[in-house]
Amino acid sequence: LTVGSTGANGVGELYFSADDGTSGIEPWIARLSSVSLLKDLSPGRASSDPAFYSAGDLVFLFADDGVHGLVPVQTDGTSEGTQLVDDINTTESIEDFSGWARFGDHMYFCTMGPIGSDLYRAPINHRPSSVALTGQQVAENRAAGTVVGTLSATDPDAGDTAVFSLVSGPGDTDNGVFV
């Protein structure tokens, strides 16, 4: 067990590394009554072997994604929100890391390689906030395909956009009526 965090909904989360016999050693997450694989960062039987650092409602980890080598990854506790922070492994092979620190909107950390240590500064990608729906009432007998509302979100990171989608699972019985 490695690091705890408070998720966006205020519920405690526990992040840890585990091997399920299929995915190798990968990041897992435990919430209240569920435990699940967060994301198979190094797909297949290979292991990403993550190490974690909590930063408020975000968790950072160093992991081997099978493509870039040992790199920083940021997660918001969802598979979709688990993403490469930066491919810092471009000039030398990073062997280890240390010294995570959050200052403002950046994470700082040191990496160790065959020719010495380097200090990195990586931006934090914040979650969108203030999700809003315009047109909260629908007039009767509207034609199919009529726009009845628009979803929007405020993203504190300049240049980022929010994407909304309907997902399958509990409560998805009416997904087919949306265009």
Side-chain angles (χ1 to χ4, degrees):
L1 301 178
T2 10
V3 67
S5 175
T6 302
N9 58 4
V11 175
E13 299 169 336
L14 179 67
Y15 293 82
F16 60 97
S17 301
D19 185 343
D20 63 0
T22 304
S23 304
I25 300 170
E26 295 294 341
W28 287 69
I29 185 168
R31 295 184 183 98
L32 296 178
S33 62
S34 69
V35 175
S36 60
L37 175 66
L38 178 62
K39 188 170 189 173
D40 190 355
L41 294 172
S42 187
R45 187 68 189 114
S47 296
S48 67
D49 200 19
F52 304 87
Y53 176 80
S54 178
D57 65 346
L58 296 172
V59 170
F60 289 83
L61 49 137
F62 248 86
D64 184 343
D65 68 358
V67 175
H68 303 97
L70 192 60
V71 290
V73 176
Q74 172 182 313
T75 185
D76 64 359
T78 66
S79 181
E80 300 80 22
T82 303
Q83 56 196 334
L84 175 70
V85 173
D86 194 10
D87 180 8
I88 62 171
N89 215 346
T90 58
T91 58
E92 67 174 288
S93 177
I94 294 173
E95 298 169 351
D96 202 0
F97 67 95
S98 67
W100 291 92
R102 180 177 180 170
F103 184 73
D105 285 336
H106 291 85
M107 289 298 298
Y108 294 83
F109 52 91
C110 290
T111 61
M112 282 77 70
I115 59 172
S117 299
D118 290 307
L119 176 64
Y120 285 90
R121 181 182 105 163
I124 294 174
N125 186 5
H126 299 281
R127 296 176 186 193
S129 62
S130 304
V131 175
L133 171 65
T134 63
Q136 297 180 10
Q137 295 181 358
V138 179
E140 283 187 83
N141 302 318
R142 302 305 262 171
T146 300
V147 175
V148 296
T150 302
L151 283 171
S152 64
T154 302
D155 195 317
D157 300 311
D160 283 1
T161 57
V163 176
F164 301 94
S165 61
L166 300 172
V167 295
S168 60
D172 69 354
T173 49
D174 293 327
N175 279 3
V177 300
F178 294 94
V179 178

